[in-house]
């Protein structure tokens, strides 16, 4: 059991980050090296300044809002919460003064972020079982949602344990110790091997690792391509 | 399918992988927001008519041959081997898509389904499985250009027969005409404007009358505007047909190339001719300019019936000519009604992408998929349906017959010519 | 006028805008045998250039072209 814990919490994390960063960079470089398209691909009428509208389209999902408000609501909530989670995880490595401009507890949202994410993911998953979205979906779409859901639910569980029923064995400082050790290439999992919840951590990290390794080979690459594509449409 | 052919097709696929195309193929999250955008789906709700599904037909082949995911775990993305079955799917996807790009407005990423369908069309050409008719038309068009010297004679003869009809719409006094000038000038070096028409009287007569009325120094192109190469999706033929007009414009040293009412021709010329010493404009733009500058005067009392205007996709949403037709109709004194509150959401007529040129073969699909268009027109209660594209005009005429609509389909340029005040 | 040419099929393409006349003829020619002749009547002036170009690319032969006040008449022999 200890070996499995170690494998997931140390080598697999390194592997996941390696695959994620190298894979993503190679994929983006591959796109970058393709020839330019000789003419415009924009949609009219155009609105100026086009870069501002591009940002609007990309980050506020303007077209989704207009054509599928319910889905838009969940998409906005999901992506925003995901951003907060990234911030939360960064703060689990160390204190970032800049992130504490608005003072908050580490892991914002008192456990609600995870809950909202889980609900959104269930919504995304369920709508893929209904036509016409069902007819469009391929296995990748389901797997990604399930992977994310599992990563989120086990991750949230650790947070809920702290906030909801006063579990204090593994706290922010322990995670910091562990993550910092990974970061400094002197891995030490003794910070996070407390009984009970380390099991959750291992599951959380395991699914998150899988997700990260899948990332560069999947449609999640849209997180990088949405902006340039929206710019093409705005001209 | 033979391995050799497959390899050739994959090479063809690769030739289409520009930066945007690669991104279009990588990005779709199959969220389905585009689903209601397609007129074919809105008229006949079947999954195969949703834009994302169409694009996925191409994307599955992309995954198989160009993506690591498709090579390692093809089942994940439902990657597909390129074979006879896939070709059938490509045909169905590409030739039930009119390339109107309405779905691109819906997509949160702005994925261009028309671009993705251009891969499908090219693969079909490579496998000799494209619609024969469209290739025939493209070949005829290319051949006409090659044999232009032999055909000049018969072309001029054909034009002579139209002159009287031009004069009927706009009388040119003998004094007004300089030596050698005719109602339909052709091959005039140093003219200001080269008008590229279609090989049909309806595209030449009204336009000529308006040019003459405005005192434009114009000349008619030997070539027809329509680009059948673009319909069938053959980049080489598209360029051949485009280049000869560009060359003619440069040879005659014109300042402006004006494209007749043909959506494809306008978009191809405007966006694909590259940097040239001339401007490219649509005939609607030119008419609006004449009115604004007072070069022509229109009788505002002629249109007694409510009018609506169908924005041809390639001219409006994809070409940017949106205000000019509205201004022209206003100057015609029309009781004008919009089809769509925001023109970029206008429904496609259902005839683009070569479907109309394929005639009876596609008639059934064109009529069924245009149900939403028919409803949209009828809701305006307009009695005149104006448009500025040959394809749209043909399709809208078919629709109005099929759905027993009480509406007359008219070319905007003809309406201008009919309202000219001497 | 058609005394010299034996017509096997007549196609009335009057009133059709370009490119429908050649679309129709390219289909119609398949209904006659190689060596037989179609008489196609069109009113569109574009036909004057369309038909010869079509004949060249499809490998068929235009035996004769007649013009009346209103119409263009083409005699096309199927050779391919």
């Amino acid at each position: 059991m200890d070996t499995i814990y170690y494998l997931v919490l140390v080598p697999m994390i390194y592997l996941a980050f390696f695959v994620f960063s190298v894979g993503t960079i190679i994929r983006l470089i591959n796109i970058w090296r393709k020839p330019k398209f000789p003419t415009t691909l924009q949609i009219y009428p155009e609105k100026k300044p086009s870069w501002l509208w591009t940002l609007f389209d990309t980050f506020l999902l303007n077209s989704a809002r207009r054509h599928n408000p319910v889905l838009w609501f969940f998409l906005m909530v999901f992506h925003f919460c995901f951003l907060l989670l990234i911030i939360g995880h960064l703060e689990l490595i160390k204190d970032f003064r800049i992130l504490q401009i608005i003072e908050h507890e580490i892991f914002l949202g008192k456990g609600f972020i995870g809950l909202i994410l889980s609900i959104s993911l269930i919504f995304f998953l369920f709508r893929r079982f209904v036509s016409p979205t069902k007819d469009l979906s391929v296995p990748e779409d389901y797997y990604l949602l399930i992977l994310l859901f599992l990563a989120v639910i086990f991750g949230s569980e650790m947070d809920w344990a702290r906030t909801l029923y006063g579990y204090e064995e593994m706290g922010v400082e322990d995670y910091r110790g562990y993550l910092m050790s990974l970061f400094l290439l002197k891995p030490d999992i003794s910070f996070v091997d407390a009984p009970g919840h380390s099991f959750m951590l291992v599951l959380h990290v395991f699914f998150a690792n899988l997700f990260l390794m899948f990332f560069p080979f999947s449609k999640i690459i849209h997180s990088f391509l949405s902006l340039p594509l929206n710019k093409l449409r705005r001209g | 399918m033979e391995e050799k052919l497959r390899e050739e097709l994959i090479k063809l696929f690769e030739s289409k992988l520009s930066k945007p195309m690669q991104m279009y193929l990588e990005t779709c999250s199959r969220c389905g927001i585009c689903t209601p955008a397609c007129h074919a789906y809105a008229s006949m709700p079947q999954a195969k008519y949703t834009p994302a599904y169409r694009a996925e037909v191409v994307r599955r082949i992309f995954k198989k041959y160009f993506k690591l995911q498709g090579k390692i775990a093809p089942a994940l993305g439902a990657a597909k081997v390129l074979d006879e079955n896939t070709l059938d799917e490509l045909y169905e996807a590409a030739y039930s898509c009119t390339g109107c790009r309405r779905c691109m407005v819906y997509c949160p990423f702005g994925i261009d389904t028309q671009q993705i369908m251009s891969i499908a069309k090219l693969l079909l050409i490579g496998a000799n499985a494209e619609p024969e008719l469209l290739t025939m038309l493209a070949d005829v068009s290319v051949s006409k250009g090659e044999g232009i010297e032999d055909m000049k004679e018969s072309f001029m003869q054909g034009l002579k027969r139209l002159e009287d009809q031009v004069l009927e719409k706009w009388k040119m006094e003998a004094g007004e005409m300089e030596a050698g000038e005719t109602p339909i000038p052709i091959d005039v070096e140093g003219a200001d404007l080269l008008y590229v028409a279609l090989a049909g009287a309806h595209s030449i007569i009204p336009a000529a009358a308006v040019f003459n009325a405005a005192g434009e120094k114009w000349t008619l192109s030997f070539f027809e505007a329509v680009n059948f190469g673009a319909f069938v999706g053959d980049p080489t033929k598209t360029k051949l047909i485009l280049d000869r007009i560009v060359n003619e414009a440069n040879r005659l040293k014109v300042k402006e190339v004006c494209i007749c009412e043909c959506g494809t021709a306008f978009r191809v010329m405007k966006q694909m001719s590259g940097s040239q010493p001339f401007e490219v404009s649509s005939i609607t733009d030119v008419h609006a300019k004449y009115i604004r500058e007072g070069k022509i005067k229109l009788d505002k009392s002629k249109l007694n019936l409510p009018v609506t205007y169908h924005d041809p996709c390639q001219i409006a949403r994809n070409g940017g000519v949106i205000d000019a037709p509205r201004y022209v109709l206003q100057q015609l004194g029309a009781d004008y009604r919009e089809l769509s509150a925001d023109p970029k959401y206008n429904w496609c007529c259902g005839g683009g992408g070569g479907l109309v040129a394929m005639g009876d073969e596609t008639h059934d699909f064109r009529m069924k998929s245009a149900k939403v268009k028919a409803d949209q027109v009828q809701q305006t209660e307009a009695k005149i349906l104006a448009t500025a594209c040959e394809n749209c005009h043909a399709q809208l005429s078919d629709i109005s017959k099929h759905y027993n609509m009480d509406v007359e389909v008219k070319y905007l340029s003809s309406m201008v010519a009919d309202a000219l005040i001497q | 006028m058609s005394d010299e040419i034996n017509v096997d099929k007549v196609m009335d393409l009057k009133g059709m805008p370009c490119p429908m006349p050649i679309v129709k003829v390219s289909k119609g020619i398949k209904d006659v045998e190689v060596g037989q002749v179609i008489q196609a009547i069109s009113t569109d002036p574009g036909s004057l250039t369309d038909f010869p170009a079509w004949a060249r690319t499809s490998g068929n032969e235009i035996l004769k072209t007649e013009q009346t006040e209103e119409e263009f008449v083409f005699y096309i022999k199927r050779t391919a």
Side-chain angles (χ1 to χ4, degrees):
Chain A
M1 213 50 184
D2 287 351
T3 328
I4 295 178
Y5 276 28
Y6 182 79
L7 285 177
V8 171
L9 290 180
V10 180
M12 195 185 176
I13 285 202
Y14 284 130
L15 179 69
F17 271 88
F18 179 77
V19 173
F20 166 74
S21 30
V22 174
T24 306
I25 288 168
I26 290 179
R27 198 158 161 205
L28 291 178
I29 288 177
N30 270 340
I31 293 170
W32 196 247
R33 285 171 46 195
K34 293 280 179 232
K36 255 184 78 178
F37 192 73
T39 182
T40 177
L41 286 160
Q42 83 182 93
I43 289 277
Y44 298 87
E46 57 190 359
K47 283 188 188 169
K48 297 279 174 195
S50 70
W51 63 268
L52 199 65
W53 286 100
T54 302
L55 293 179
F56 178 62
D57 290 348
T58 309
F59 294 105
L60 295 179
L61 309 176
N62 186 31
S63 67
R65 178 185 56 77
R66 189 159 171 162
H67 302 295
N68 193 336
V70 177
L71 178 58
W72 172 78
F73 172 77
F74 281 102
L75 285 172
M76 280 310 288
V77 162
F78 172 82
H79 284 94
F80 183 66
C81 289
F82 206 90
L83 184 70
L84 293 183
L85 274 191
I86 294 175
I87 292 175
H89 280 80
L90 283 176
E91 287 183 307
L92 271 194
I93 301 175
K94 72 186 269 290
D95 218 358
F96 289 93
R97 187 82 45 84
I98 189 157
L99 294 178
Q100 285 290 353
I101 288 179
I102 304 166
E103 220 169 289
H104 60 263
E105 248 176 85
I106 304 288
F107 268 99
L108 301 125
K110 303 203 180 301
F112 279 102
I113 301 289
L115 185 68
I116 293 170
L117 277 174
S118 312
I119 294 170
S120 315
L121 284 164
I122 289 174
F123 173 77
F124 296 150
L125 190 61
F126 276 27
R127 68 183 284 281
R128 289 211 180 267
F129 286 101
V130 183
S131 280
T133 321
K134 182 177 134 192
D135 310 301
L136 301 174
S137 303
V138 298
E140 171 188 348
D141 304 330
Y142 299 94
Y143 286 132
L144 280 168
L145 288 173
I146 293 169
L147 264 183
L148 266 183
F149 179 75
L150 290 170
V152 166
I153 204 81
F154 289 114
S156 303
E157 209 286 330
M158 297 188 296
D159 191 35
W160 294 334
R162 283 193 305 129
T163 50
L164 299 184
Y165 46 93
Y167 177 82
E168 285 180 354
E169 298 275 327
M170 275 158 55
V172 172
E173 286 312 313
D174 299 310
Y175 291 123
R176 277 192 179 161
Y178 160 61
L179 288 175
M180 216 42 208
S181 78
L182 282 179
F183 196 72
L184 298 171
L185 302 180
K186 285 177 191 148
D188 179 358
I189 62 167
S190 65
F191 292 103
V192 288
D193 64 356
H197 277 78
S198 58
F199 179 65
M200 296 297 164
L201 176 70
V202 169
L203 285 174
H204 169 69
V205 171
F206 177 73
F207 291 118
N209 281 344
L210 285 185
F211 178 77
L212 276 179
M213 288 193 279
F214 196 3
F215 185 106
F217 310 102
S218 74
K219 63 175 187 181
I220 310 295
I221 202 81
H222 74 244
S223 33
F224 293 96
L225 301 184
S226 182
L227 188 70
L229 281 181
N230 269 301
K231 181 76 179 74
L232 282 173
R233 173 170 54 186
R234 281 291 177 183
Chain B
M1 182 185 288
E2 280 178 46
E3 200 48 47
K4 193 165 160 271
L5 174 61
R6 184 175 296 132
E7 276 168 25
E8 278 170 24
L9 294 182
I10 293 165
K11 274 208 192 100
L12 278 181
F13 198 127
E14 200 170 3
S15 74
K16 293 292 282 184
L17 290 178
S18 61
K19 213 173 286 176
M21 188 71 92
Q22 182 95 17
M23 294 199 278
Y24 289 146
L25 288 169
E26 303 250 18
T27 301
C28 179
S29 62
R30 290 167 291 275
C31 66
I33 291 174
C34 58
T35 300
C38 180
H39 61 281
Y41 182 85
S43 301
M44 295 180 275
Q46 294 173 39
K48 63 178 176 180
Y49 296 138
T50 63
Y53 189 95
R54 268 180 226 289
E56 200 62 18
V57 172
V58 175
R59 197 171 281 117
R60 286 175 182 193
I61 302 169
F62 172 75
K63 290 180 202 169
K64 177 78 197 165
Y65 299 102
F66 299 99
K67 263 189 86 171
L68 202 58
Q69 189 208 83
K71 287 175 182 156
I72 298 172
L76 267 184
K80 265 209 170 146
V81 176
L82 188 54
D83 58 17
E84 267 77 18
N85 285 338
T86 355
L87 282 181
D88 289 345
E89 285 178 15
L90 287 171
Y91 191 101
E92 166 100 54
Y95 287 99
S96 62
C97 171
T98 57
C100 74
R101 305 213 303 172
R102 191 170 186 268
C103 49
M104 189 170 171
V105 185
Y106 277 59
C107 176
F109 308 115
I111 295 175
D112 185 340
T113 312
Q114 187 192 32
Q115 276 299 313
I116 298 179
M117 288 305 108
S118 76
I119 298 179
K121 288 188 167 185
L122 189 62
L123 295 184
L124 289 167
I125 293 173
N128 272 325
E130 83 281 15
E132 263 174 58
L133 258 179
L134 291 184
T135 291
M136 184 276 282
L137 288 171
D139 288 343
V140 166
S141 183
V142 170
S143 161
K144 269 202 281 191
E146 283 165 353
I148 192 73
E149 288 306 322
D150 308 338
M151 287 187 204
K152 270 186 183 167
E153 197 60 31
S154 51
F155 185 67
M156 306 275 234
Q157 263 178 30
L159 287 184
K160 272 269 166 261
R161 306 161 68 100
L162 303 180
E163 286 183 351
D164 287 346
Q165 295 178 58
V166 175
L167 291 173
E168 238 171 69
K169 290 199 187 292
W170 183 260
K171 283 182 220 60
M172 293 167 80
E173 308 293 329
E176 273 181 322
M177 275 195 259
E178 290 167 29
E181 216 175 44
T182 66
I184 309 178
I186 188 157
D187 217 15
V188 182
E189 203 179 309
D192 287 336
L193 179 146
L194 175 70
Y195 176 58
V196 195
L198 295 168
H202 63 281
S203 160
I204 299 174
I205 296 167
V210 177
F211 287 135
N212 294 339
E216 181 70 77
K217 281 174 75 184
W218 70 290
T219 179
L220 179 71
S221 171
F222 276 118
F223 304 103
E224 60 185 356
V226 58
N227 198 317
F228 286 113
F231 280 146
V232 72
D234 187 326
T236 323
K237 287 175 190 162
T238 307
K239 187 139 182 15
L240 262 171
I241 296 172
L242 166 70
D243 279 353
R244 60 196 195 194
I245 301 172
V246 172
N247 293 339
E248 186 186 32
N250 284 331
R251 181 173 59 82
L252 298 177
K253 303 189 185 72
V254 296
K255 296 187 192 110
E256 184 173 6
V257 171
C258 170
I259 305 291
C260 66
E261 292 172 312
C262 173
T264 312
F266 172 68
R267 183 153 172 235
V268 169
M269 192 70 193
K270 173 102 186 164
Q271 299 184 350
M272 289 175 65
S273 57
S275 159
Q276 299 292 346
F278 52 80
E279 297 279 320
V280 178
S281 50
S282 76
I283 187 162
T284 313
D285 269 334
V286 171
H287 286 180
K289 188 181 78 185
Y290 290 161
I291 300 170
R292 217 174 282 127
E293 292 174 357
K295 287 189 175 166
I296 54 172
K297 297 233 157 16
L298 303 179
D299 180 353
K300 282 198 174 192
S301 64
K302 278 203 165 176
L303 284 177
N304 308 320
L305 296 168
V307 183
T308 187
Y309 175 76
H310 167 75
D311 277 302
C313 302
Q314 307 308 340
I315 292 178
R317 173 165 49 240
N318 303 331
V321 181
I322 292 168
D323 298 334
R326 288 163 176 77
Y327 174 71
V328 170
L329 281 165
Q330 185 211 332
Q331 293 300 311
L332 282 167
D335 164 12
Y336 177 66
R337 288 116 194 255
E338 282 287 358
L339 277 175
S340 161
D342 183 343
K344 77 177 168 199
Y345 287 108
N346 184 34
W347 287 111
C348 171
C349 66
L355 293 193
V356 159
M358 284 156 77
D360 301 341
E361 227 174 274
T362 55
H363 187 268
D364 184 54
F365 175 77
R366 282 193 282 124
M367 292 308 107
K368 284 182 182 155
S369 62
K371 173 86 178 51
V372 282
K373 185 78 230 178
D375 292 346
Q376 190 192 32
V377 172
Q378 278 168 322
Q379 271 159 20
T380 64
E381 292 175 357
K383 297 290 172 234
I384 295 173
L385 172 54
T387 192
C389 166
E390 175 95 359
N391 248 291
C392 300
H393 187 278
Q395 164 77 355
L396 293 170
S397 307
D398 283 354
I399 298 175
S400 86
K401 225 179 283 162
H402 182 84
Y403 289 98
N404 289 319
M405 291 157 64
D406 180 22
V407 60
E408 190 188 354
V409 186
K410 282 189 153 189
Y411 288 108
L412 187 58
S413 66
S414 300
M415 292 165 71
V416 173
D418 290 343
L420 284 174
I421 302 175
Q422 194 77 34
Chain C
M1 272 196 277
S2 54
D3 308 340
E4 324 114 54
I5 300 172
N6 225 342
V7 172
D8 298 283
K9 181 184 164 93
V10 179
M11 295 189 76
D12 179 0
L13 311 166
K14 281 177 271 190
M16 286 184 190
C18 159
M20 289 333 271
I22 51 168
V23 168
K24 295 278 180 193
V25 164
S26 75
K27 290 202 161 165
I29 197 129
K30 289 183 183 142
D31 300 338
V32 300
E33 302 291 323
V34 172
Q36 290 189 316
V37 174
I38 282 185
Q39 182 194 40
I41 307 155
S42 116
T43 48
D44 191 284
S47 309
L48 276 178
T49 45
D50 272 7
F51 273 84
W54 166 78
R56 242 186 316 162
T57 54
S58 64
N60 293 294
E61 190 185 339
I62 295 187
L63 301 175
K64 195 170 144 197
T65 308
E66 287 168 359
Q67 294 188 26
T68 65
E69 195 63 32
E70 305 272 295
E71 297 164 1
F72 307 97
V73 186
F74 300 91
Y75 295 89
I76 308 154
K77 185 172 162 190
R78 178 167 180 189
T79 48

